[in-house]
Structure formats: C-alpha cells, structure tokens
Amino acid sequence: MSAVMMDGKALAAKVKEGVRNQVEAFRSRPGLAVVLVGDDPASRVYVNGKKKDCAECGIYSEEYHLPQEATQAQLLELVRTLNEREEMDGILVQLPLPAHLDEREVLLAIRPDKDVDCFHPFNVGQLMIGEQSFQPCTPAGVMRMLEEYGIDPAGKHCVVVGRSNIVGKPQAMLMLQKNATVTICHTRTRNLKEMCLQADILVAAAGRAGLITADMVKEGAVVVDVAMNRNEAGKLCGDVDPAAAQRASYMTPVPGGVGPMTRAMLMENTLTAARLHGKQ
Ligand code: GUN
C-alpha cells in the first residue's frame, strides 16, 4: 500500500478562505495581538507567518516586539494592557520565552476569553471536561485534517506519541471527545513498537527524528506526524520515517502537513474570540 498524503497546505488555504468569508459578515473586525520577546529566528518566522495569515483573512493584527532583556514586569504590563483593549480579541505570546521569564505566570495573565492558543489553565480544564471555547491550534488542526479526509476516530485505537501540554495531552483529549480509544506513549514508554503497531491512528508528536520507523506502523494505519525536527543534514523532518508511507493508508508530509493547519486554526480561534466579544 502507498499512503494518500494529506495536503495540509491546500486544506489550510481552504480553512483560511472560510475565515475570510465569515469575517466579512462581522460588525467589527476581529483583532489578534502577537507578542514576541527577543530574537529567536524560528519564533520570528512563526510570528511573520501569523501576521501574514491575519492579513489574508481580513483580521486586524498588531505585533509587539520586546527586547531579549525585557523584564517579567514589562511583559505582564503589556499583556494586561492588551487584555483591556477591545480591538484585540486574541493575544498570542510566542513561546519559548527567554529563560529569565516565567512562562507560566505570563500565560496565566492572559484573559481566558482572549487565549487563542488555549494554554491558560482555565481553558485547559475546559478542554478536559469537553466545555472548551478554544481548542489548541495544532491538535485542532490534526482533527480538522482527519475530518476532511473522512477519517472518523470513533471506536478506533489512537496512539499519541508525546505528552507535551501543547500537543500530546490536548490531542489525546480531542481524540477522546471523538470517541477514540486513546493511548498516550512517550519517549520513556518501554514497548513503544508494540504500542504503535496497535494504532489505527498514530499521532507522532515526540520531537525526535527517526523515532517512528516503518516497522512500527500497522498496515493500513493513519499516520499523522506533528513533529518538526531537523536531521543531521539540516533538513526539516518529522518523527516518522517517510518509508512508513508504504504501510500507512493516509499520512501527513513534513513540511506541508500539520504545520499549515496549526496556523489556520489560530485564525479560527481568533474568530471564536471575536464572537465571544459580540463582534458578529
Ligand atoms: N511556539 C511554538 N508553537 C507555538 C504555539 O502554538 N503558540 C505559541 N504561542 N508559541 C508557540
């Protein structure tokens, strides 16, 4: 078998077009504030991408760039100001923050109704009980992609490899909400190969190039590779050996799979926030 490669780029364009059409019907324009601290090159690329997405979708955006040596007090003051600004429906503080800053305190300071990343503990708790306003962008992008390709997780065994707060844990919750049977594995799981071989849907989000080899994929499984690593040659790659496509029924490429979907879901979350603020 050779897997159907799921085209995240094309699907993200479709999602963004949908957002744009919805924005046109809003009484006032949704807005997103993106906060970048320091000069991490990867973060700069991500922030630029988010601003571009906003422009494409008709969402108003403002970027706030604080210097690398910004203090916790300065960053908290900025978040509090943005919390009060009606033009700003969503606030995204790009992670990781420089090491001297307390990420947890910053995420707690963002008003939950503006937390388009869904990182605030209130929203994480809402997700756990299935009452969420927002879904974290990457796991939500995975669910949308499966839906688009007609893959229903109900009753299937979904194995999530990775337990991060940003992807692995919320991914497991969203799969559970869709009635999958869920196993969470990680780099310390002893019999990772046996676990992966049981997966009808395998979501790789451990951040280790080459962790999932082709012989760990069940014939006909759906393989979603969330990771974004660089191999020894400096080339972008996921956690899954591309040779797994010979066994999978559907698989996501890296790049061009989940990544563009993450960005598109941020636009949807910004619309959700604007609706919460009565802008529709
Ligand atoms: N850094 C890497 N991924 C993300 C994300 O989804 N949101 C934020 N705020 N920072 C990130």
Side-chain angles (χ1 to χ4, degrees):
M1 186 182 285
S2 187
V4 172
M5 297 308 283
M6 293 190 269
D7 189 345
K9 211 170 150 193
L11 179 53
K14 189 172 134 184
V15 170
K16 285 193 281 183
E17 196 187 317
V19 170
R20 187 181 177 84
N21 291 337
Q22 292 174 70
V23 165
E24 280 167 12
F26 274 56
R27 273 185 279 117
S28 66
R29 221 171 157 198
L32 176 67
V34 181
V35 179
L36 173 64
V37 185
D39 302 302
D40 177 58
S43 291
R44 167 46 71 197
V45 171
Y46 288 136
V47 165
N48 289 348
K50 285 162 188 167
K51 285 195 300 185
K52 185 166 158 275
D53 291 335
C54 285
E56 279 174 32
C57 292
I59 290 173
Y60 174 67
S61 73
E62 286 182 6
E63 180 192 322
Y64 293 84
H65 188 191
L66 299 186
Q68 178 74 23
E69 55 286 356
T71 65
Q72 182 78 4
Q74 283 170 325
L75 180 53
L76 288 174
E77 180 56 31
L78 173 59
V79 169
R80 287 179 188 132
T81 305
L82 293 171
N83 278 342
E84 297 308 317
R85 289 209 28 222
E86 279 184 19
E87 308 93 300
M88 294 305 170
D89 297 294
I91 303 170
L92 181 141
V93 177
Q94 185 66 34
L95 304 178
L97 291 172
H100 67 281
L101 297 175
D102 179 350
E103 190 171 293
R104 200 182 128 74
E105 190 185 28
V106 173
L107 296 181
L108 263 172
I110 296 172
R111 246 171 60 179
D113 58 295
K114 296 193 173 192
D115 172 35
V116 285
D117 264 327
C118 196
F119 291 169
H120 189 288
F122 173 80
N123 286 326
V124 176
Q126 292 287 85
L127 182 69
M128 179 73 101
I129 58 174
E131 300 275 333
Q132 70 267 18
S133 299
F134 302 111
Q135 298 189 345
C137 299
T138 298
V142 170
M143 301 312 286
R144 177 65 66 84
M145 192 138 67
L146 294 183
E147 195 183 319
E148 185 71 16
Y149 281 86
I151 301 159
D152 180 3
K156 302 210 169 81
H157 186 189
C158 174
V159 175
V160 179
V161 184
R163 53 177 156 178
S164 70
N165 291 332
I166 293 182
V167 184
K169 288 182 205 168
Q171 187 72 73
M173 282 304 126
L174 293 183
M175 287 289 181
L176 196 56
Q177 285 183 15
K178 290 290 180 190
N179 302 310
T181 302
V182 182
T183 302
I184 304 177
C185 297
H186 43 82
T187 48
R188 299 281 294 273
T189 297
R190 237 178 243 160
N191 50 344
L192 186 61
K193 181 176 175 182
E194 286 70 28
M195 301 303 266
C196 290
L197 275 169
Q198 289 177 34
D200 302 310
I201 301 174
L202 180 63
V203 181
R208 281 207 194 171
L211 181 70
I212 313 288
T213 49
D215 61 347
M216 295 165 78
V217 173
K218 183 168 79 172
E219 198 69 41
V222 173
V223 179
V224 179
D225 195 344
V226 175
M228 192 66 95
N229 310 304
R230 287 204 184 267
N231 65 14
E232 312 87 61
K235 199 166 157 267
L236 278 179
C237 64
D239 287 350
V240 183
D241 182 344
Q246 296 310 314
R247 292 167 69 112
S249 55
Y250 291 86
M251 190 159 150
T252 59
V254 177
V258 177
M261 291 303 294
T262 297
R263 284 171 50 181
M265 299 324 280
L266 175 65
M267 299 297 102
E268 285 212 337
N269 278 352
T270 306
L271 273 201
T272 301
R275 285 198 183 98
L276 288 175
H277 301 141
K279 288 193 179 176
Q280 194 176 26

